[in-house]
Amino acid sequence: MSYTATDDSQDKLFEKLIKINRVTKVNKGGKKLGFRAFVIVGDQRGTVGLATSKSKEVPMAIKRSIEKAKKNMHQINVVDGTIPHRIVGEFKASKVVLRPAPEGTGVIAGGSIRILLESLGIENVVAKSIGSNNSLNMAKAALNGLLKLKSQADVEERRGVKLNFRNTIKEETSDDTDKD
């Protein structure tokens, strides 16, 4: 179930319901039935949030988790529709390896990781999940890895050197040919 909604700041948000679990709590009088909704929210421009929420009814659980995800948004470093470097994210027993990919590759990932990357606006990336295949833990492991991504400016400042990457070299050579 996918929703596209506008919030107060008029930004288009991509809201995706990943999973609904039926949960029970045992009380003195018997079992109490409830539902847990897992939702990923992103603006497809480098900002994403994920959250879970419980309620007695499914629509209420979905609404709560969407509100919770909107409050817990993270800004991720995205460069030219992919990630700047290879990274491994971990959460509990889940491990996710994320690698940048060349233009035209697309998002090669499974399950909740694919939805997380698409809601971020990443177009070319390869992801491999290792360990537990729980959708919530895999998404949290991928987010953990994405939060560890470094920007070129931060690395240059920390090392005190100017870095040259293939993308910047291509741009410089194309500018030189235009001048002739």
Side-chain angles (χ1 to χ4, degrees):
M1 190 182 301
S2 179
Y3 305 97
T4 304
T6 56
D7 62 342
D8 297 336
S9 63
Q10 297 300 316
D11 290 336
K12 288 274 185 187
L13 291 177
F14 175 77
E15 301 167 351
K16 187 76 175 173
L17 175 63
I18 308 301
K19 192 170 188 177
I20 294 179
N21 288 2
R22 203 176 83 194
V23 293
T24 54
K25 179 181 178 183
V26 180
N27 289 340
K28 190 169 83 172
K31 293 180 182 177
K32 206 173 188 182
L33 183 68
F35 298 94
R36 182 181 75 172
F38 172 39
V39 172
I40 294 178
V41 176
D43 66 353
Q44 296 183 327
R45 291 189 307 269
T47 306
V48 71
L50 54 90
T52 61
S53 186
K54 295 177 189 172
S55 181
K56 291 180 183 177
E57 294 132 18
V58 175
M60 190 63 183
I62 295 169
K63 184 181 173 192
R64 276 185 183 171
S65 57
I66 288 172
E67 290 170 4
K68 207 170 165 184
K70 284 179 183 177
K71 289 179 186 174
N72 192 21
M73 299 285 271
H74 300 282
Q75 187 66 36
I76 306 295
N77 185 20
V78 178
V79 178
D80 297 329
T82 188
I83 57 177
H85 56 86
R86 181 184 180 276
I87 196 80
V88 177
E90 296 178 4
F91 184 79
K92 295 190 177 180
S94 294
K95 221 185 238 189
V96 176
V97 180
L98 298 161
R99 293 186 307 243
E103 188 69 33
T105 304
V107 178
I108 301 175
S112 59
I113 300 170
R114 170 184 283 276
I115 294 165
L116 179 76
L117 295 170
E118 287 174 349
S119 65
L120 255 173
I122 295 177
E123 298 163 359
N124 301 300
V125 70
V126 177
K128 175 69 182 160
S129 60
I130 302 165
S132 171
N133 63 353
N134 179 327
S135 61
L136 178 60
N137 288 351
M138 284 192 316
K140 285 189 176 183
L143 183 62
N144 173 273
L146 290 166
L147 289 171
K148 288 192 229 173
L149 288 173
K150 299 173 186 140
S151 70
Q152 183 176 351
D154 291 342
V155 174
E156 287 175 348
E157 184 181 318
R158 189 175 48 122
R159 292 184 187 176
V161 219
K162 177 87 173 107
L163 298 176
N164 288 325
F165 289 110
R166 285 177 278 183
N167 293 347
T168 53
I169 293 169
K170 279 183 187 176
E171 290 170 9
E172 290 171 7
T173 55
S174 65
D175 291 342
D176 293 341
T177 55
D178 293 339
K179 291 177 185 175
D180 293 334

